[in-house]
Structure formats: structure tokens, C-alpha cells
Amino acid sequence: MTVRRDFQEPARCRPDLVIGREDLFADARDQLASGGSVLLHGPAGIGKSTVLRALAEEYGATARTVLRCSATESESHLPFLALADLFGLVLDDVSPRLPLAQRTALESALTGRGESSLQRDGLALRLAVLSALRALAAHGSVLVVADDLQWLDPASAELLGFAARRLEGTPVQLLCAVRTEGQESQEYDRHLRSCPPGTLAVRLGPLSRTQVAQLLDHRGHGQLPRSTVREIHRTSAGNPLFALELGRALADSPTPPRPGEPLPVPTSLRALVLSRLDMLSVEARRTLLVASAGARPSPALLHAAGRENAEAECAQAAELGLLATEPDAPAVRFAHPLISAALYAEAPAHERRAAHAALSTAASDPIERARHLALATTGTDPDVAARLAEAAALARDRGAPSVAAHLGLLAARHTPADGTPGPEERRLQAAEDAITAGEIDLARDIAREVLSRASVPAERVRAWIIVIDTAGHTMAEVDAVFPQALADAGDDPRLLALVHYQLAWRALIVEGDFTEAREAAAHAAELAARGKDRRTELLSLAFQAQTETLMGHPQAPRTIERALKEPQDPRVAWHHNGAASARFRWLVMSDQLTEARATVTALLREVRRRGSVESEVHFLRGIAETELRAGHCGRALELARESLRLARDSGIGETASAMLTSLAEASGGDVDRALALAREAVEHAEEDGDQMYLSRALGALGYAQLVAGDPAGTVRSLRRVRNLELGLGITDPARGRWQGDLAEALVRIGEPAEAQDVIDVSREHALRLGRESVLAVLDRSEALVRAAQGDLEAAVAQLTSAQHRLGKLGYGLEEARAALALARLRGKARAGTASSVYDEATRMFRRCRALPWLRQVDESLTAPEPEPARAVPDALDALDILAAMERQVAALVMEGATNREIAARLFISVKTVEATLTRVYRKLGIRSRVDIVRLAAARRAK
């Protein structure tokens, strides 16, 4: 029998929707599954009820009886109300099984008949509750679900606590939630003591910024800009209820807040956090308004802003719980950021301007003074605009591009239409600062606003470039922008250079054509030199060098030298698309790991100083990659995870960071996590049409599959990489370093001939380019081929040589892998001594902190060597992985239909047919319609 109290729930709450609480939810689930009880606690709005409902829904289905109560503050004075909620519907079932005195006391308390009270019935009523729970438990498990314990009437709370402490050994579990303000809260201690022994106390803390973004997206507010989400997280302090209310208010607001202004606070939250504001004096309220308008308010700042009695008025606010009391801290800090935002939103506009006017002279920092001056001024004012532009430049130099962007927008707002520089130029500078800060949505919105008004070609081209930049690796989505940008550029070499530099990126990312990308970059550099735009010239040369490096082009070192020549532009010198970054990539591929690490570490230090988020994400990946190559798997994993967190927070470089983190997880962390991240990267690259990162992501997936013990999966993934890179024109095997993994997996599935072909082709390019580490890895793989062919002596000699060379070059993980392969061969040759031959590999993997590879050593010691598996099916079986539209198009190609005929039969455009075929070729690892027809013939032959 299951009894549920009929209370309103906003929606069916599933465990997978408990955003940001996954670990806590798992702990609570395990506790309940083991027969224990759980007490959830935390501040108001933190999500206790959400988690409680999800757990109750999951475990209520397994309990025979579910007793529920959910108290409210307005009902807390009514005695035995919670008890009536819990037992009212089961009273008729349990009463006959209670002794007469207990039954009389319980019925009297629940029905209100008679004069039952804890003072009058005392022990009888306490024992009645305990006996009722035991009677219910005699027929099956009982789950007591109690929300908002702090509002339980004292009589019910005392009775429930009495029974809970004596229920050990009976199948009765409590799932409760209580509001507390701190881990050491006396309320928390009191309620925990009232729970059964061994109750798990779970404190719910604030959500991270990423989790707040996920919550807003889940509730339909995913369209909010990232900069706004970041402000919601700051204002709500990670409280999910507050964040959702703020998000809802912003979504419903016809106009977003202006730069420098706090978020609009909905009436529901104002009432919640400002209920004590009316108890303040008028002067104290004005003092708090000045504090809410200031960035870092302190008593000294408030005095300078004309608040003579600031200390006393702040003390009054602290007594009411509006300000945090920190005797040793000079700052005036609100008890919650939402109090500050709500107080500011509540104030009339003229009082806000007065507060900002006072702070514009009181603040010591010139940036703060300029911001307050702007917020105190209405209309255009060239002097105010100039001061704001100067403050934006200062913020930029300090490495605060986000601050510079918002100050720039304020400057544009106060700039007269005929000003010099004009308002559009200042908006464009603000957009470029926003890109540096990682506020992509803001930058895109500014650029589109400029394009709606600007007529000056230079401003329009600059705005188009910002639109393209904000597309990132989804450049295919902005294809229509390029013709418009070229038309606006006219015959101006400076403007044309900007557009052709972006066309070079498009050729690489969208078309996957390294040759075209290199030529476009060279043309952009030439145009920029003619137009005397050194910055674009340097960026174009750096891009050309990067492309040549990845292609294995012999001109790469010379182009890097050209890109590093003086005069340099400091904005390019540290940029992730600059010459220093190109040189770092060349150093990594040339086995100069120590110098590469020093180079990228210096670059990371500089971009952090400047506040460039995109470059920071990029260089974090660079250091992680260098550490991974050196065999420092633990350090690489930390850096890769940091890069991925920052990428997800900013929305920049997520595919690349997921790919690299997959490699790090497979080497030193969790293999399942590695597989999930690699598949995520593959999916994103395919969706974006990003040919360059698709091959990298597939390479990461193949490696993770190899570590996971799935050589067949490795072969499927890396065969695709081989075909992709052949089509892209990438010949340098040091670019992805997947060749050795493919050869090893091919040997494992019984395809040594194909493995040898991979080795031979890759070795030719590695010899031409002098890639020593690649050659050593290829030798390691070739030794496996020889062993599979029965030549163990030659295989051992080749593995020994490869291990020595890899160690000398500083590739710790690859060296350990050679040691493992050598141990496996020697273990075969020396039956009974297998354990000792693995000692060296074990030592090396431990030094690298390569936990997944250590597990492989353990498996080699305990499991017999697997027999070679049958060959992996070729692209024939890959037809099954095509999407529905792709299968239809491929089927019509097999019938001999032309693209125009396919378009007519499927009611789509010829361009859509061409794009679909491109995806089919990529997924099947083929290059033409003829190959599809051959696959069809092969399938029919089967």
C-alpha cells in the first residue's frame, strides 16, 4: 500500500534533471539503497525540494508505504498538523494494531477530538507514533518524506524525532529536507539528532556558472548571452531559485540592462530579500544604495561620497541581516549579492544617478570614476565619452578586456553622432574587446547593430570580420557574409587583406583544403603589406606558417622566420594565431619538447595578464599536449580539464578542448570519460563541418578505443582519419601521431599487411621531415608486425631500439608503451616468468601516472594473450552508420541517379544533395560516387 500526499509539483522530476547535483544525488541514492536515511540541508532556494522530490520519486516506487508531509511557515503554529499529514490516511489501517491507550492518544491528536497534547498524553502519544511506524513496517518497507522540516509544528517534530531515534532494525527510512544557513547551523544539528542513527547529511551548495547555464537552458532560457549568464551567476551566487527568477525576468524584459547597470530583479525576489528594508532609516537606506552602486564599497569610500554616518548606518543594516559582519574586513559586503541588486533596482532613477554622481568623485580608481560619471550622465557628452574611452584603454592594458568592452559601449552611448572617433568605431572596439574576453554573444550583437546603421566601408568590413570571428569553427554558417564583406572592401588592400585572411581560415575549416588555405593566407599577407597593415600581415604569415607546418611543407621554417621579423605587433606576438604560436607547433612536431614547453608557458602567462580567454584556452591545451608527449600524464590531465572547463564556460574551443582532454583521460584518467569526450568532439566537428578538427577528434577516439581494449573500433576510427588526411593534403605524421596506433590495432585484429603499409607510407614522410619520435613509434609498431609473423628475435631487437630512442627524446609514455610491448613478447618466450618481465613497464607507467596503461599491465599478467581477431569490415558495413537522408541519397546514387534527379525525387536542392554526399564520403572514408556504386556491388555479391 502506497500513500502519497496530494501536493503540487511544478513538473515530473527525474534524477537526470537534478542539474549540478549528480554526485550528491548518487551519494543519497546509495544511502537509501542500503536502507539508510538522508537529511538534505542548505539555504533557501538552493534546490533541496527538487532533489528530495527526485529521490522520493525514485525510491517511493520501491517502498510499500510512503508517508509525506510538507510544512509551511504559516501552518507551523498548528499542533500535530504534520503528524496528521503523515498518518491521516493510514490511521484506519494501523489503529487496530495499537494498544488502547496509544490508539486513543493518536486518534485524539490526529482528529482533534478530545484534548490530546504532549503534556497530557506524554509517553502514550510518543509510543503510538513509534508503534504505528513499526506496524506499517511489518508489512513492508516504509519511506517517510518530510520537506521543510524547519516549519514542522514543534509537537510533530518532537514525536517524529522520538520515533526516528528508536527505529533501528526496522525497514523505516527518512528522507527529509531542512533550511539551514551554514554547515555549523544549530538548526542543522538539532534536526540531524532527530533522525535515525547513521543518517547521511547532504549539504547542497551553490551551482557553478556552467551548471547555472545548464539550468537556465533546461528551463527555456538558453538564448541568454553568456555574459548575461555570468552576471546571473554572480548576482544569484549560484542559488538555482534566484538564478531562474533572474533569468525569467530577463527573458520577459523587452530591453536588456544597459552597460554598467545591475540585472533587473523581479518583484518576487525583491520581496524575498528586501523584507527587512522598511526597518531601515531613510539615511541608512541611501547609504546602502551608494554601497550597492559601488564596485568595492568601503566605509572610507562611503564617507568620501558624502555619507557621514556610514559606520552606524551599516551597523544597523548588519543587525537586520542585510550586510555581512566581518570585523577584520574593511569592505562593506552585502549578505547576498541579490540584496545589492534588488536594492539598486528598487531605487528611483534620479536617486541612482545621484549615487553614481557622488561616487564619480569619491572613487580612487580612474576606471571606476569614469563608469560612475557615465551612469550619472544622461544624453551625449563628448567629454564623458572621451574619459570613458580612456578608461577602456586603461582596462585593456590592465588585462581586463571585459571591463574595456562595457566601458567602450558606455563611451559609444555618450558619443555624439558627428564625434571623432564616432560612436560606431567605439562600438567596434568594444566588440573586439568582448571577443578577447570570450564574450562572443555580446561581440556578435554589437557587430550586427553596427551593420544595421553604418555606411562607412571600413566600419562595415570590420563589423563583418567580427561576425566571422564569433562564428569560430562554425564558419560554414556565415558563408553569406564573405561576398558582402568583399563588396564593402572594394579595392582597398587593407580591407581586402582582412577578408582574405578570414577566407584562408574558411578554406581550412570548411573546405578542408590546406593548399587553398596556404595560398589565401599568402595573398592576405601580400595585400596587408601593400596596405601597410602590419598586424594583418603578421597574422597572415603566422597562419601560412601553421598551415605549412601541418602539411609538412618545406617552406614552414622560412615562413616562421618571416612572421617573427621586426617590426612586431604586440597584439599578434602573444595571440594564439600569432607567429610565436606557430613556432610552438613547429617545435612540438620537431621533437623539441623542452623549448616548446618554455615557449607556450611564456605565452600563457602573457595572455592571462591580458585577459584573453580564447588564447588562454588555446595555450592551456598547448601545455597539456606538451606534458602528455613528455609522459607527465597527471599534469597533462589537470591542464586539459582546466582548458575544457574554461572552454565550456566561455563557449570557445570546446571541440578542441574535448579532443585533447580525451587524449589526457585515456592516458592518465578515466577511459570511459575519454571515449565520451572523443565522441562528443567528433559529433561537434561533423555538425560544424570542421574537417580539420574532425580528423583530430577521430584520432583521439581511436586512441581511447585502443586503450579501452577495442582494436576493431580503433581501426574503424583511424581508417577514417587516414582517408581524411589524405584528402586534406596533410602529410606530416607528427600532426596527429595516430599512425602507430592504427598499425598496432591492425596487428591485433589480424591485418599485419595493412599495418605494414601504414608504417611504410608514414615512414617515408617522417624520414623526409626528420620526425625522429614518429620513426621510433613506427619501429615499435613494425616490431609487432614482425612478432605476428613469427620473427620474435627481430621484433625484440627493434622494440629495444625504439624504447631507447623514445626515452632519449623525452617521450615518457611512448617509451613505456614500448617497454610493455617488449614485456609481452618476452612473457610469451619465457613461460612462468611473466611477472618479472613486466617490472620495467610497470615502473615507467607509474612514473608517468598512466593509470589506464597500468591496468593494461595487470590484464597482461592475468589474462591470456588474445588470438588475432577477424579483420574489421571495411567501409561496406559503414553504410549502416549513415543518417536517414544520407542513406536515401546514397541509395539513389547506387541506382545511378544524377544529383539533379536525386534533388527532384527527394524534394531538396542540388546544393543539399552535394553537401549530403560530402558527408557520406567522409563517413564512409571514400572519395567519389564511383566508390558508392562499388560498395553497392560488394553488398549484392555478399
PDB file of all heavy atoms in Angstrom, residues 473-491:
ATOM      1  N   HIS A 473      34.598  27.899 -35.193  1.00  0.00           N
ATOM      2  CA  HIS A 473      34.747  26.762 -36.095  1.00  0.00           C
ATOM      3  C   HIS A 473      33.445  26.396 -36.817  1.00  0.00           C
ATOM      4  O   HIS A 473      33.404  25.397 -37.519  1.00  0.00           O
ATOM      5  CB  HIS A 473      35.285  25.551 -35.325  1.00  0.00           C
ATOM      6  CG  HIS A 473      36.746  25.648 -35.050  1.00  0.00           C
ATOM      7  ND1 HIS A 473      37.701  25.007 -35.796  1.00  0.00           N
ATOM      8  CD2 HIS A 473      37.435  26.365 -34.124  1.00  0.00           C
ATOM      9  CE1 HIS A 473      38.908  25.295 -35.332  1.00  0.00           C
ATOM     10  NE2 HIS A 473      38.767  26.112 -34.322  1.00  0.00           N
ATOM     11  N   THR A 474      32.409  27.225 -36.642  1.00  0.00           N
ATOM     12  CA  THR A 474      31.168  27.007 -37.392  1.00  0.00           C
ATOM     13  C   THR A 474      31.093  28.014 -38.537  1.00  0.00           C
ATOM     14  O   THR A 474      30.040  28.591 -38.811  1.00  0.00           O
ATOM     15  CB  THR A 474      29.940  27.151 -36.472  1.00  0.00           C
ATOM     16  OG1 THR A 474      29.924  28.473 -35.921  1.00  0.00           O
ATOM     17  CG2 THR A 474      29.996  26.143 -35.343  1.00  0.00           C
ATOM     18  N   MET A 475      32.206  28.202 -39.232  1.00  0.00           N
ATOM     19  CA  MET A 475      32.280  29.229 -40.272  1.00  0.00           C
ATOM     20  C   MET A 475      31.329  28.961 -41.434  1.00  0.00           C
ATOM     21  O   MET A 475      30.945  29.889 -42.155  1.00  0.00           O
ATOM     22  CB  MET A 475      33.714  29.351 -40.799  1.00  0.00           C
ATOM     23  CG  MET A 475      34.682  29.929 -39.794  1.00  0.00           C
ATOM     24  SD  MET A 475      36.315  30.207 -40.501  1.00  0.00           S
ATOM     25  CE  MET A 475      36.091  31.785 -41.308  1.00  0.00           C
ATOM     26  N   ALA A 476      30.944  27.718 -41.631  1.00  0.00           N
ATOM     27  CA  ALA A 476      30.017  27.410 -42.720  1.00  0.00           C
ATOM     28  C   ALA A 476      28.698  28.148 -42.535  1.00  0.00           C
ATOM     29  O   ALA A 476      27.990  28.429 -43.512  1.00  0.00           O
ATOM     30  CB  ALA A 476      29.779  25.904 -42.791  1.00  0.00           C
ATOM     31  N   GLU A 477      28.358  28.484 -41.291  1.00  0.00           N
ATOM     32  CA  GLU A 477      27.097  29.160 -41.023  1.00  0.00           C
ATOM     33  C   GLU A 477      27.115  30.617 -41.464  1.00  0.00           C
ATOM     34  O   GLU A 477      26.057  31.259 -41.525  1.00  0.00           O
ATOM     35  CB  GLU A 477      26.768  29.072 -39.523  1.00  0.00           C
ATOM     36  CG  GLU A 477      26.539  27.649 -39.036  1.00  0.00           C
ATOM     37  CD  GLU A 477      26.256  27.588 -37.546  1.00  0.00           C
ATOM     38  OE1 GLU A 477      26.191  28.675 -36.929  1.00  0.00           O
ATOM     39  OE2 GLU A 477      26.093  26.479 -37.020  1.00  0.00           O
ATOM     40  N   VAL A 478      28.293  31.183 -41.712  1.00  0.00           N
ATOM     41  CA  VAL A 478      28.386  32.597 -42.099  1.00  0.00           C
ATOM     42  C   VAL A 478      28.928  32.734 -43.521  1.00  0.00           C
ATOM     43  O   VAL A 478      29.531  33.743 -43.867  1.00  0.00           O
ATOM     44  CB  VAL A 478      29.252  33.399 -41.104  1.00  0.00           C
ATOM     45  CG1 VAL A 478      28.580  33.487 -39.754  1.00  0.00           C
ATOM     46  CG2 VAL A 478      30.642  32.800 -40.960  1.00  0.00           C
ATOM     47  N   ASP A 479      28.713  31.718 -44.344  1.00  0.00           N
ATOM     48  CA  ASP A 479      29.201  31.762 -45.723  1.00  0.00           C
ATOM     49  C   ASP A 479      28.695  32.990 -46.475  1.00  0.00           C
ATOM     50  O   ASP A 479      29.404  33.562 -47.303  1.00  0.00           O
ATOM     51  CB  ASP A 479      28.774  30.495 -46.472  1.00  0.00           C
ATOM     52  CG  ASP A 479      29.903  29.469 -46.534  1.00  0.00           C
ATOM     53  OD1 ASP A 479      31.020  29.795 -46.085  1.00  0.00           O
ATOM     54  OD2 ASP A 479      29.673  28.360 -47.021  1.00  0.00           O
ATOM     55  N   ALA A 480      27.452  33.383 -46.200  1.00  0.00           N
ATOM     56  CA  ALA A 480      26.863  34.512 -46.929  1.00  0.00           C
ATOM     57  C   ALA A 480      27.542  35.832 -46.598  1.00  0.00           C
ATOM     58  O   ALA A 480      27.358  36.826 -47.319  1.00  0.00           O
ATOM     59  CB  ALA A 480      25.371  34.600 -46.610  1.00  0.00           C
ATOM     60  N   VAL A 481      28.313  35.867 -45.518  1.00  0.00           N
ATOM     61  CA  VAL A 481      28.963  37.113 -45.100  1.00  0.00           C
ATOM     62  C   VAL A 481      30.106  37.492 -46.039  1.00  0.00           C
ATOM     63  O   VAL A 481      30.338  38.675 -46.321  1.00  0.00           O
ATOM     64  CB  VAL A 481      29.480  36.961 -43.646  1.00  0.00           C
ATOM     65  CG1 VAL A 481      30.443  38.082 -43.284  1.00  0.00           C
ATOM     66  CG2 VAL A 481      28.306  36.923 -42.680  1.00  0.00           C
ATOM     67  N   PHE A 482      30.829  36.500 -46.548  1.00  0.00           N
ATOM     68  CA  PHE A 482      32.055  36.792 -47.305  1.00  0.00           C
ATOM     69  C   PHE A 482      31.811  37.645 -48.549  1.00  0.00           C
ATOM     70  O   PHE A 482      32.533  38.624 -48.771  1.00  0.00           O
ATOM     71  CB  PHE A 482      32.771  35.482 -47.652  1.00  0.00           C
ATOM     72  CG  PHE A 482      33.397  34.824 -46.467  1.00  0.00           C
ATOM     73  CD1 PHE A 482      32.761  33.786 -45.811  1.00  0.00           C
ATOM     74  CD2 PHE A 482      34.628  35.252 -45.988  1.00  0.00           C
ATOM     75  CE1 PHE A 482      33.336  33.183 -44.695  1.00  0.00           C
ATOM     76  CE2 PHE A 482      35.208  34.652 -44.887  1.00  0.00           C
ATOM     77  CZ  PHE A 482      34.562  33.621 -44.236  1.00  0.00           C
ATOM     78  N   PRO A 483      30.821  37.336 -49.408  1.00  0.00           N
ATOM     79  CA  PRO A 483      30.594  38.206 -50.571  1.00  0.00           C
ATOM     80  C   PRO A 483      30.254  39.644 -50.168  1.00  0.00           C
ATOM     81  O   PRO A 483      30.699  40.590 -50.831  1.00  0.00           O
ATOM     82  CB  PRO A 483      29.414  37.536 -51.290  1.00  0.00           C
ATOM     83  CG  PRO A 483      29.420  36.118 -50.818  1.00  0.00           C
ATOM     84  CD  PRO A 483      29.928  36.164 -49.432  1.00  0.00           C
ATOM     85  N   GLN A 484      29.501  39.809 -49.079  1.00  0.00           N
ATOM     86  CA  GLN A 484      29.142  41.154 -48.632  1.00  0.00           C
ATOM     87  C   GLN A 484      30.372  41.898 -48.116  1.00  0.00           C
ATOM     88  O   GLN A 484      30.543  43.094 -48.376  1.00  0.00           O
ATOM     89  CB  GLN A 484      28.078  41.067 -47.537  1.00  0.00           C
ATOM     90  CG  GLN A 484      26.790  40.404 -47.995  1.00  0.00           C
ATOM     91  CD  GLN A 484      25.786  40.242 -46.862  1.00  0.00           C
ATOM     92  OE1 GLN A 484      25.190  41.212 -46.407  1.00  0.00           O
ATOM     93  NE2 GLN A 484      25.590  39.006 -46.410  1.00  0.00           N
ATOM     94  N   ALA A 485      31.228  41.173 -47.397  1.00  0.00           N
ATOM     95  CA  ALA A 485      32.449  41.800 -46.891  1.00  0.00           C
ATOM     96  C   ALA A 485      33.371  42.208 -48.035  1.00  0.00           C
ATOM     97  O   ALA A 485      33.967  43.297 -48.016  1.00  0.00           O
ATOM     98  CB  ALA A 485      33.165  40.848 -45.942  1.00  0.00           C
ATOM     99  N   LEU A 486      33.501  41.352 -49.053  1.00  0.00           N
ATOM    100  CA  LEU A 486      34.336  41.684 -50.213  1.00  0.00           C
ATOM    101  C   LEU A 486      33.776  42.881 -50.963  1.00  0.00           C
ATOM    102  O   LEU A 486      34.521  43.754 -51.434  1.00  0.00           O
ATOM    103  CB  LEU A 486      34.446  40.470 -51.143  1.00  0.00           C
ATOM    104  CG  LEU A 486      35.352  39.332 -50.664  1.00  0.00           C
ATOM    105  CD1 LEU A 486      35.159  38.097 -51.527  1.00  0.00           C
ATOM    106  CD2 LEU A 486      36.823  39.772 -50.677  1.00  0.00           C
ATOM    107  N   ALA A 487      32.443  42.940 -51.078  1.00  0.00           N
ATOM    108  CA  ALA A 487      31.824  44.080 -51.763  1.00  0.00           C
ATOM    109  C   ALA A 487      32.081  45.371 -51.009  1.00  0.00           C
ATOM    110  O   ALA A 487      32.395  46.412 -51.613  1.00  0.00           O
ATOM    111  CB  ALA A 487      30.324  43.832 -51.913  1.00  0.00           C
ATOM    112  N   ASP A 488      31.982  45.338 -49.683  1.00  0.00           N
ATOM    113  CA  ASP A 488      32.244  46.541 -48.883  1.00  0.00           C
ATOM    114  C   ASP A 488      33.717  46.933 -48.919  1.00  0.00           C
ATOM    115  O   ASP A 488      34.054  48.108 -48.809  1.00  0.00           O
ATOM    116  CB  ASP A 488      31.801  46.321 -47.432  1.00  0.00           C
ATOM    117  CG  ASP A 488      30.293  46.420 -47.259  1.00  0.00           C
ATOM    118  OD1 ASP A 488      29.664  47.199 -48.005  1.00  0.00           O
ATOM    119  OD2 ASP A 488      29.750  45.720 -46.384  1.00  0.00           O
ATOM    120  N   ALA A 489      34.611  45.936 -49.068  1.00  0.00           N
ATOM    121  CA  ALA A 489      36.054  46.233 -49.080  1.00  0.00           C
ATOM    122  C   ALA A 489      36.473  46.940 -50.362  1.00  0.00           C
ATOM    123  O   ALA A 489      37.466  47.686 -50.373  1.00  0.00           O
ATOM    124  CB  ALA A 489      36.848  44.938 -48.909  1.00  0.00           C
ATOM    125  N   GLY A 490      35.746  46.711 -51.460  1.00  0.00           N
ATOM    126  CA  GLY A 490      36.092  47.362 -52.722  1.00  0.00           C
ATOM    127  C   GLY A 490      37.482  46.975 -53.185  1.00  0.00           C
ATOM    128  O   GLY A 490      37.826  45.794 -53.255  1.00  0.00           O
ATOM    129  N   ASP A 491      38.318  47.986 -53.499  1.00  0.00           N
ATOM    130  CA  ASP A 491      39.694  47.711 -53.927  1.00  0.00           C
ATOM    131  C   ASP A 491      40.714  48.195 -52.900  1.00  0.00           C
ATOM    132  O   ASP A 491      41.885  48.370 -53.225  1.00  0.00           O
ATOM    133  CB  ASP A 491      39.963  48.343 -55.295  1.00  0.00           C
ATOM    134  CG  ASP A 491      39.711  49.860 -55.285  1.00  0.00           C
ATOM    135  OD1 ASP A 491      39.338  50.394 -54.213  1.00  0.00           O
ATOM    136  OD2 ASP A 491      39.871  50.498 -56.347  1.00  0.00           O
TER     137      ASP A 491
END
